[in-house]
Amino acid sequence: MSTYFHLRAVPPPALRNSVSWLERLFNDDWEAVLHRVGRRREEVLDQRYLDQELLYAAAPPHPAKDGPRSQVVLGGRPVFHPGRRKQPFLVLTAAQADRVARYLTVSDFDALWGSARDELLPRYGGVSAEPETRNAFEVAHQELTAFYTQTAEHGEAVVKCLPV
């Protein structure tokens, strides 16, 4: 398993609540992953996925001190590994993926950035690095929006694989 956070579109009839099935779902080589990413069938976030979640966790219309409400990054029903030593898979139903897509398409990135900016900038070099940092987060936001929009158009669920 890589250090990347994977989100993968899955047709609801194919979805299984089996850890071994979910592990096989994410057991492809990097070339296959990149092919699916190019087709918007999978999205991959780098190690900043927790910071990416911060954009959505407390931003309007989902202000929440106790965690995310939009389910963009870390939302979903957990499917635990036996023994629970590994991070669980997260599963969004097709209806939940559709709600995330609608949320992302109406979200204003400037507002999202504004709510998380002060917490994120110190981790990425401060104010002097803001243009590059903001751009990286905006690109990830655009890619997530495209992924969820296409997933919703196909009526598919989303399975998320957390890094080891």
Side-chain angles (χ1 to χ4, degrees):
M1 185 126 358
S2 70
T3 59
Y4 294 92
F5 184 90
H6 293 253
L7 300 89
R8 182 135 176 225
V10 177
L15 191 59
R16 302 289 178 266
N17 195 30
S18 157
V19 171
S20 60
W21 185 86
L22 293 168
E23 286 174 337
R24 285 191 306 275
L25 185 67
F26 291 97
N27 196 21
D28 287 331
D29 63 37
W30 192 241
E31 189 172 314
V33 170
L34 291 176
H35 179 70
R36 281 193 303 274
V37 167
R39 292 179 22 240
R40 299 277 184 231
R41 308 299 304 135
E42 187 165 345
E43 189 53 56
V44 179
L45 298 175
D46 64 17
Q47 298 89 335
R48 294 179 290 199
Y49 71 91
L50 290 175
D51 289 337
Q52 191 72 34
E53 173 63 14
L54 184 63
L55 287 177
Y56 309 110
H62 302 288
K65 292 181 182 174
D66 60 342
R69 294 286 187 244
S70 64
Q71 298 190 323
V72 176
V73 178
L74 295 180
R77 177 184 51 83
V79 177
F80 293 98
H81 294 267
R84 298 185 184 214
R85 286 187 291 264
K86 297 179 181 179
Q87 294 291 332
F89 292 97
L90 299 173
V91 178
L92 290 178
T93 65
Q96 290 170 318
D98 182 66
R99 282 194 295 275
V100 171
R102 285 186 277 127
Y103 165 77
L104 288 171
T105 57
V106 301
S107 293
D108 174 13
F109 181 78
D110 291 331
L112 295 170
W113 178 252
S115 70
R117 177 188 181 274
D118 291 341
E119 192 169 339
L120 291 174
L121 282 181
R123 299 178 200 169
Y124 296 95
V127 176
S128 64
E130 183 169 8
E132 299 83 21
T133 304
R134 184 187 185 287
N135 184 60
F137 281 87
E138 186 171 17
V139 166
H141 171 73
Q142 292 167 349
E143 291 171 350
L144 284 166
T145 301
F147 167 76
Y148 274 109
T149 300
Q150 181 167 319
T151 299
E153 287 171 359
H154 288 101
E156 294 180 320
V158 173
V159 178
K160 303 172 184 182
C161 181
L162 297 168
V164 176

